[in-house]
Amino acid sequence: MSSLLPWLGIAGIGALHGLNPATGWALAAAWGVRSRDRTQVLRALMPIAAGHVASVAIAGAAMASGLSTDRFMLQVLAGVLLAVVAAYHLLRRKAGCLPTPAAHAGLALSSFMMSTAHGAGLMLAPALIPLCMGNAPVRGTVASGPLTLALAAVGIHTAAMLAVTGVMASVGCRGFVAVARLLQSLRRKLSSD
């Protein structure tokens, strides 16, 4: 049972990240509401996952390799990339192109930046260190090298985060639609009186 505790901790941290609206479920719900298509909520999960995986994988690979990461530099890189995407969209808007919602690249960069800013990969350190640096082999793993274990941890963490993010985004989208319908019916009732 003690060999399962780090894996349960990794999944639990992922689930907690999924509850945080800054990790993307609020943006995914907004996509669904704006497009009036709830499948957009699920389509938004893939770029959110890509950004989160990139952030966590960088920290996980660095820990597995024994390297240290400069969190500030990662934040600056993510911010610069997000600013480039925002500038591109502003230039397209000024050129007469129709305004579009954030592209998948923007969602992925936003997810990367938020995951890096709140230290998603660093939160996994207490669970990754016993897995990657321990001398005892982990039962049930075919290849128990530190990098393989770190990648498996990133996968489990992201799967838990995506499951909770998807549920929160779907509930949020339905809630926004329900509130909008309620307000619309109240407005009709008040205008008819």
Side-chain angles (χ1 to χ4, degrees):
M1 180 64 178
S2 64
S3 65
L4 281 178
L5 288 178
W7 297 105
L8 292 174
I10 289 166
I13 293 168
L16 285 175
H17 284 166
L19 287 174
N20 185 353
T23 58
W25 69 257
L27 293 174
W31 268 30
V33 170
R34 180 172 182 185
S35 68
R36 298 172 200 243
D37 181 12
R38 289 189 187 144
T39 60
Q40 288 294 334
V41 171
L42 299 177
R43 288 187 188 123
L45 292 179
M46 291 314 294
I48 290 169
H52 193 79
V53 164
S55 175
V56 174
I58 288 170
M63 279 185 271
S65 302
L67 301 173
S68 64
T69 58
D70 186 3
R71 184 173 166 192
F72 178 74
M73 286 306 295
L74 287 176
Q75 290 172 339
V76 168
L77 175 65
V80 167
L81 290 173
L82 192 60
V84 167
V85 170
Y88 170 75
H89 282 288
L90 286 174
L91 291 174
R92 281 192 56 194
R93 177 180 260 177
K94 286 187 178 189
C97 296
L98 292 174
T100 59
H104 288 272
L107 268 178
L109 288 173
S110 172
S111 177
F112 176 78
M113 187 175 73
M114 291 309 296
S115 297
T116 303
H118 74 261
L122 300 177
M123 289 180 193
L124 292 176
L128 284 175
I129 289 172
L131 289 175
C132 297
M133 304 300 178
N135 293 331
V138 178
R139 292 185 183 135
T141 58
V142 176
S144 60
L147 189 57
T148 304
L149 290 173
L151 291 175
V154 168
I156 289 171
H157 173 81
T158 303
M161 190 264 315
L162 274 182
V164 174
T165 298
V167 168
M168 293 300 293
S170 296
V171 168
C173 182
R174 289 176 192 225
F176 289 137
V177 169
V179 168
R181 287 182 183 155
L182 178 66
L183 291 174
Q184 190 176 33
S185 67
L186 286 174
R187 198 175 316 146
R188 281 188 204 143
K189 186 174 181 177
L190 291 174
S191 66
S192 67
D193 289 340

